[in-house]
Amino acid sequence: MKKRWLSLYVENDSGILAKVSGLFAGKGYNLESLTVGTTEDQTISRMTISLLGDDATFEQIKKQLNRMVGIIKVIDMTSIGIHSREVLLMKVICHKKEEIEEVFRMASVYGMTIAEYNGTEILLEAIHRDKQNQRIIEQFKRFKNIEIVRSGSAAIEWQPNWKKDEE
């Protein structure tokens, strides 16, 4: 099982998201994340899909997607350079001054933005790779009252001029 990335250019019509997710559900394929939004052309949307799968299953998925009406182009981004990020929103409820101070300190350490604070609730935002956001969540689990929302990864092809160590 290997992490795979697909990018789909699709017609910006109602029902296309249901068709794509229905294909995955109907065949028993599990999505790690799926994001979708319009492109520079308002008639076209772009989906970013990440999933775990073996070679044979992944090839089957690509073939089935390529045959679907409404899908303009399927790009396998598994073996090419990509830049990916996901949005993490986290609400932490604290009643003790020490806990509040610790949340603010941890937010600074992990490069999170404090979006809102009302005295007991702290709303944090982070835009990182999915693995880094998962590590952040693990660290914040020490607080009893947290609520997490993640966007799923969005990715674009990117070939940097320099090499950066992967996580």
Side-chain angles (χ1 to χ4, degrees):
M1 299 292 269
K2 177 181 172 185
K3 185 156 187 174
R4 315 291 180 140
W5 292 91
L6 286 172
S7 180
L8 309 179
Y9 285 94
V10 300
E11 294 172 0
N12 191 8
D13 291 329
S14 61
I16 191 71
L17 177 59
K19 286 181 186 179
V20 171
S21 61
L23 167 73
F24 280 84
K27 299 292 184 177
Y29 305 143
N30 189 32
L31 296 171
E32 281 205 332
S33 75
L34 184 152
T35 60
V36 62
T38 56
T39 64
E40 62 282 356
D41 179 343
Q42 293 297 311
T43 65
I44 298 173
S45 291
R46 184 167 175 169
M47 293 183 182
T48 303
I49 300 172
S50 66
L51 61 129
L52 291 175
D54 58 45
D55 291 340
T57 302
F58 189 59
E59 288 304 315
Q60 185 67 27
I61 289 169
K62 290 191 300 186
K63 287 176 186 174
Q64 290 171 334
L65 287 169
N66 273 308
R67 288 194 300 257
M68 287 181 73
V69 173
I71 295 183
I72 300 165
K73 187 175 185 180
V74 177
I75 302 168
D76 178 356
M77 298 193 307
T78 303
S79 300
I80 62 175
I82 62 170
H83 182 85
S84 69
R85 295 292 183 267
E86 78 169 13
V87 176
L88 167 66
L89 300 175
M90 181 184 306
K91 180 169 61 174
V92 184
I93 301 171
C94 301
H95 297 285
K96 297 179 182 174
K97 181 181 177 188
E98 300 80 29
E99 285 182 326
I100 294 167
E101 290 172 352
E102 180 68 2
V103 169
F104 276 77
R105 186 191 67 74
M106 288 175 66
S108 176
V109 167
Y110 292 110
M112 302 177 83
T113 301
I114 298 164
E116 299 284 340
Y117 172 60
N118 68 10
T120 58
E121 294 180 342
I122 307 163
L123 181 59
L124 304 168
E125 298 175 350
I127 301 174
H128 298 295
R129 288 191 174 95
D130 55 351
K131 289 179 184 178
Q132 187 173 356
N133 278 340
Q134 187 59 44
R135 287 191 294 266
I136 291 170
I137 291 167
E138 293 303 318
Q139 293 300 313
F140 274 86
K141 282 184 178 179
R142 70 179 72 175
F143 301 101
K144 301 294 182 233
N145 295 311
I146 64 171
E147 186 176 337
I148 307 278
V149 177
R150 295 170 82 168
S151 68
S153 294
I156 192 167
E157 304 87 41
W158 184 254
Q159 295 296 326
N161 292 337
W162 50 275
K163 296 290 181 191
K164 181 180 176 184
D165 290 338
E166 239 352 88
E167 304 171 62

